[in-house]
Amino acid sequence: MSHSKNSRDGQHQKASKLSHLPLSTNGPLECALKGTVLLNHPYFNKGSAFTKEERRDFALHGLLPQHIQTLEQQVQRAYEQYCSQPNDLAKNTFMTSMKEQNEVLFYRLLQDHLEEMFSVVYTPTEGEAIQNYSRLFRRPEGVFLNINDMDSVKRDLAQWGKAEDIDYIVVTDGEEILGIGDQGCGGILISIAKLVLMTICGGIHPNRVLPVVLDCGTDNEELLRDDLYLGLRQKRVRGEKYDEFVETFVKAARELYPRAYIHFEDFGLDNARRLLERYRPKIPCFNDDVQGTGCVTLAAIMAGLHISKQKLSDIRMVVFGAGTAGVGIADHVRDAIAADADISPEEAGKQIWLIDKHGLLTSKSEPLSDAQKKYAKSHDDWADKKTDLLGMIKEVKPHVLIGTSTKPKSFTEEIVREMEKHVERPIILPLSNPTKLHEAVPEDLLNWTDGKALVATGSPFDPVKGPWGKDGKEIEIEVAECNNSVVFPGIGLGSVLSRANRVTDKMLMAASKGVAEMGPALKDDTAPLLPGVGVVRDVSVRVARRVILAAMEEGVVEEKDVPTKEEDLDEWIREQMWDPVYRPLKYVEGDKASRGAKGHLRVLGNPNDVE
C-alpha cells in the first residue's frame, strides 16, 4: 500500500471522527432546493460545475449549457474576466457581483489570487467603493438599522435567522471608515468586507454571518448634499440617544443570536474604545481598530525581540501618535510586559512613552482622554527636558519606535541614527496608512542603520537591497506588513468555535504569540517579521489554537468536548473551517430538511415572534 493512500485513509478516518460536529465541512451538503431557485442561491449554486447526477436530481436540465466544468476552469474564466476590468473600482464591483451569484467561486478566485486581490476587496479600493456606495448601489446586503426607529431594531434583526443561525456579526456606525472618515450608511460595505476576510482568512461559514450598519446620520456634508445618498439625511446623532441606540442593538443581537460574536468596526475615535470597554466584560466582542492593531504590532515586536535576543520585560517603547491606534498598541504591549515580568500594568506602563504633535504626554497635557492619562508622565520630571521626538529618543533610548501619527517622514535620519546609537537592532514600525502618510519608508530606515533595523510597516513595500551581508555582500531584506488580517480572523475563529463568552486580555496576548511563532524572520533575519496573507489560513489555525487554549485557562469556554492536545485541537479547528470547494449536493425533501438545506440561513428569520 502506498504512503499517499495511507495518508488519505488516515485523513478520512480523522474526518469521519469529526463529521458529527455542527460546523463540520466533511461529506455531502444537504439541499432541498431545485431548478432556478437553486441556481439563484449563491451558497449552493455551482453554475456550469453541477455534475451529471446533480443536474438530474435537482431538475437543472435545460437550465445550463451542456458542458460540465471544474471549479478550476471556472476560476480561470473568472480571473480573465476580472483582469479585463478597466480599474480597481470596477474589479471591486465585479467581485461583489460574483459573490452575489456563486460564493464558492468568489472565495476560490480570491483564495487563489489573495495577495493580488487583497487591496481590491479591502483597503484601499473598498474605501473608494464605500465613498461611492449610493452611486454604485445595485442591491442591498446586510441590516440597516435606523436611530430614529429604535422600536424596530429587534424586529429588523430577527429577519435574519433563528438563535443558532448566526456565528459572527460585524457592526459599524460608519463614522471613521478606513481613514476616509464619515461615510454614513455606506459603512455597511466595511462590515461586508470584514466578513469576507473572516471567511477567506478564518474559515467562518459565509452563510452564518451578519453585516450591520447603525445609521445615525452623517456629518459628511458632501453626502448630505448628494441627491442619491441612501442614508438618513441628518447630522450625526450623539450623546444619550446614540448610546441608547447602540445598547438597543447589542441587547437585541444577544437575545436573538446568543452564540454570535460581535465585532465593532470603524466607530468614531470618541466611541470606539468607550463602547468596547462597556461591553467586553459582558459579551464576546472585539474591536479591530483598538485591539487588532495592538495584537499584530505586539506580534511584530515579539518576532523582532527573538532576533535581537531581548526580553519583552526589558524593552522601552516610544509611540509617536497618541490616538486610538497608538493607545491601543500601548495597552496591548503594556499588558504583555506585565505578564512577562509578573508586574502590575501600571508598573509596566512606565516603560512606554506616548508622544503627540505637542510632544510627550504629561500630567499637564490637555485635553487627555482616560486612555491617555494612564501613560502621562509627571510634568515636573520632564519640565527641563526636550520632549519632542528627537529629544525623547535621546533621553529614553528606546528599543522600539512605533509610528501612528499620520505625519509623513517624521522618523528622520537624525532620529533613526540616534536610536541606533543605543540599540543594536532597533525595532521601528511606521504604521500610518496610507503609504503617503508613513513616518518613514523601509529603504531609508535600513540605509540609515546599515541594515540593522527590524522593520514592519502599515502598508506593503517592496524588498530592500543593500550591502549588509557578511563582508559587505549585497542581501535583500523583505519587509513585513503589520496587517490586522493575520490576527483578527484567528481570534474570531477561536472564539466562535469554543463559544467563548468573553474575549479576555490573555486570549489576545495568546493570539499575538500565535502570529509571532509563524514569523518567517524567526528562521531567517532577512525574511519578514510577520507571516503574509498568502499563508493566512494556516496562521488563523495557529492563532485559534492559542486563543482557545487561553480561553480554557480563563474558564470562558462554553462549547463541550473541545480537544486539549494541540494536534487534536488543530484538526478540530480545521474540520470546522469553511473551504471554497464544491461539496457534493444531496437532495432532501423539504419536510426532512434543516434550515440550512432549505436555504433559510440569513434569509428567513422570525420577526413575527418579536414582541
Side-chain angles (χ1 to χ4, degrees):
M1 187 178 290
S2 71
H3 174 76
S4 61
K5 187 174 188 303
N6 274 325
S7 176
R8 286 198 303 272
D9 288 346
Q11 289 172 357
H12 176 75
Q13 289 168 4
K14 281 185 177 180
S16 64
K17 289 179 184 178
L18 299 172
S19 60
H20 65 283
L21 295 170
L23 296 178
S24 171
T25 54
N26 184 50
L29 192 61
E30 291 189 346
C31 179
L33 307 181
K34 283 190 172 185
T36 55
V37 177
L38 173 56
L39 293 177
N40 287 320
H41 198 290
Y43 187 74
F44 290 114
N45 181 29
K46 298 183 181 181
S48 59
F50 280 107
T51 66
K52 182 178 179 181
E53 293 75 20
E54 287 170 341
R55 294 178 185 217
R56 178 195 66 213
D57 295 345
F58 292 91
L60 297 173
H61 283 298
L63 300 178
L64 291 164
Q66 301 307 311
H67 185 62
I68 297 170
Q69 293 188 305
T70 64
L71 177 57
E72 289 72 24
Q73 289 172 319
Q74 289 181 321
V75 168
Q76 180 183 351
R77 178 173 59 240
Y79 183 62
E80 290 176 2
Q81 293 170 347
Y82 171 89
C83 292
S84 72
Q85 302 303 311
N87 54 56
D88 284 350
L89 184 58
K91 289 176 179 176
N92 178 283
T93 302
F94 170 82
M95 294 296 283
T96 298
S97 178
M98 177 174 293
K99 179 172 174 284
E100 293 168 351
Q101 298 170 52
N102 183 332
E103 287 187 334
V104 169
L105 179 55
F106 166 80
Y107 283 109
R108 180 58 179 272
L109 174 64
L110 183 55
Q111 179 175 284
D112 287 357
H113 301 277
L114 186 57
E115 293 188 52
E116 175 187 350
M117 294 182 174
F118 193 90
S119 64
V120 170
V121 299
Y122 196 53
T123 179
T125 310
E126 187 65 17
E128 189 178 352
I130 292 168
Q131 287 178 303
N132 289 278
Y133 175 72
S134 295
R135 295 182 172 274
L136 296 174
F137 181 82
R138 293 181 178 178
R139 59 181 295 180
E141 181 180 356
V143 188
F144 300 80
L145 300 179
N146 182 351
I147 196 168
N148 298 327
D149 190 14
M150 283 192 233
D151 290 342
S152 299
V153 166
K154 189 172 183 181
R155 182 203 65 206
D156 294 347
L157 280 171
Q159 297 182 85
W160 292 81
K162 302 285 187 180
E164 67 280 2
D165 290 353
I166 303 296
D167 290 329
Y168 204 105
I169 297 171
V170 176
V171 59
T172 185
D173 70 355
E175 187 176 4
E176 196 64 41
I177 300 289
L178 292 174
I180 57 175
D182 191 340
Q183 297 299 318
C185 78
I188 189 67
L189 291 186
I190 195 61
S191 296
I192 293 168
K194 279 290 185 183
L195 288 170
V196 165
L197 296 186
M198 279 306 307
T199 294
I200 199 67
C201 301
I204 295 293
H205 293 229
N207 62 338
R208 300 184 59 83
V209 302
L210 190 57
V212 180
V213 63
L214 305 179
D215 194 344
C216 308
T218 178
D219 289 338
N220 186 327
E221 291 293 340
E222 187 176 338
L223 293 179
L224 291 173
R225 290 193 302 267
D226 186 349
D227 291 339
L228 294 180
Y229 177 59
L230 290 165
L232 285 176
R233 292 175 174 277
Q234 64 181 51
K235 286 288 189 178
R236 185 170 285 277
V237 176
R238 305 184 186 279
E240 288 184 18
K241 185 176 180 181
Y242 173 86
D243 285 354
E244 182 186 357
F245 186 37
V246 175
E247 175 66 20
T248 301
F249 159 73
V250 171
K251 185 178 179 182
R254 292 297 295 160
E255 289 178 3
L256 291 166
Y257 310 116
R259 294 159 64 87
Y261 171 103
I262 297 178
H263 175 139
F264 295 103
E265 183 69 23
D266 285 347
F267 280 72
L269 298 179
D270 293 336
N271 292 319
R273 178 176 294 277
R274 184 176 64 85
L275 293 175
L276 179 66
E277 291 179 351
R278 175 181 298 172
Y279 291 111
R280 72 182 298 236
K282 308 172 187 176
I283 65 171
C285 65
F286 179 81
N287 184 305
D288 191 38
D289 308 294
V290 177
Q291 296 168 298
T293 303
C295 285
V296 74
T297 305
L298 175 59
I301 293 170
M302 287 176 165
L305 293 176
H306 179 87
I307 295 170
S308 64
K309 297 179 173 55
Q310 292 174 299
K311 293 181 180 179
L312 185 63
S313 56
D314 294 334
I315 69 165
R316 296 180 298 277
M317 182 173 83
V318 168
V319 181
F320 184 54
T324 300
V327 176
I329 291 168
D331 283 351
H332 204 58
V333 175
R334 176 203 62 190
D335 292 343
I337 292 172
D340 192 57
D342 194 23
I343 57 178
S344 69
E346 292 74 23
E347 189 66 22
K350 295 177 181 178
Q351 297 172 227
I352 299 172
W353 290 261
L354 264 59
I355 301 174
D356 66 7
K357 59 186 176 183
H358 302 298
L360 175 69
L361 294 190
T362 71
S363 52
K364 288 196 175 180
S365 299
E366 290 186 359
L368 287 179
S369 68
D370 289 341
Q372 292 171 326
K373 287 177 183 175
K374 293 178 289 188
Y375 298 99
K377 307 303 181 185
S378 168
H379 174 76
D380 293 342
D381 290 346
W382 290 87
D384 299 326
K385 299 174 183 176
K386 290 187 176 181
T387 60
D388 62 349
L389 183 54
L390 178 59
M392 292 300 301
I393 297 296
K394 289 181 176 180
E395 187 70 28
V396 171
K397 301 177 178 59
H399 305 87
V400 181
L401 175 60
I402 308 284
T404 57
S405 67
T406 67
K407 185 178 178 183
K409 300 181 180 179
S410 49
F411 292 175
T412 63
E413 180 174 359
E414 185 180 11
I415 285 170
V416 172
R417 289 192 181 278
E418 180 65 33
M419 185 176 178
E420 194 222 351
K421 284 182 186 177
H422 311 288
V423 182
E424 185 176 349
R425 299 299 302 269
I427 299 171
I428 306 177
L429 312 178
L431 303 180
S432 293
N433 278 322
T435 306
K436 65 182 180 182
L437 299 182
H438 266 44
E439 289 80 6
V441 297
E443 184 176 8
D444 286 341
L445 294 174
L446 289 163
N447 281 326
W448 295 337
T449 60
D450 297 323
K452 294 177 184 175
L454 299 166
V455 181
T457 57
S459 298
F461 280 88
D462 291 333
V464 179
K465 292 181 179 179
W468 309 309
K470 189 175 181 180
D471 299 325
K473 181 181 178 182
E474 183 176 82
I475 59 172
E476 182 174 89
I477 295 178
E478 295 182 75
V479 179
E481 180 186 359
C482 264
N483 189 328
N484 292 18
S485 299
V486 299
V487 67
F488 78 80
I491 296 171
L493 176 65
S495 299
V496 165
L497 295 184
S498 66
R499 302 298 171 187
N501 57 39
R502 285 180 296 119
V503 181
T504 68
D505 289 339
K506 285 188 178 179
M507 292 163 66
L508 297 177
M509 204 176 308
S512 295
K513 290 178 180 177
V515 175
E517 287 169 353
M518 298 192 71
L522 271 60
K523 297 179 180 177
D524 175 3
D525 66 4
T526 66
L529 292 175
L530 298 172
V533 295
V535 293
V536 69
R537 285 177 77 92
D538 291 335
V539 177
S540 291
V541 172
R542 177 66 64 89
V543 171
R545 178 218 292 176
R546 290 283 173 234
V547 166
I548 291 170
L549 292 173
M552 288 178 177
E553 290 180 12
E554 295 276 82
V556 298
V557 171
E558 295 192 351
E559 184 63 40
K560 306 296 183 185
D561 302 320
V562 180
T564 54
K565 292 183 179 179
E566 290 189 354
E567 183 179 342
D568 294 340
L569 183 54
D570 283 0
E571 190 70 28
W572 184 84
I573 292 166
R574 288 185 186 278
E575 173 65 21
Q576 299 180 84
M577 292 173 71
W578 186 85
D579 283 312
V581 295
Y582 288 139
R583 293 166 62 186
L585 292 188
K586 176 183 176 183
Y587 181 70
V588 289
E589 296 288 345
D591 58 346
K592 299 176 183 176
S594 66
R595 285 175 49 74
K598 293 176 182 176
H600 286 178
L601 297 186
R602 297 186 67 217
V603 176
L604 188 63
N606 55 346
N608 295 329
D609 296 343
V610 176
E611 296 179 359

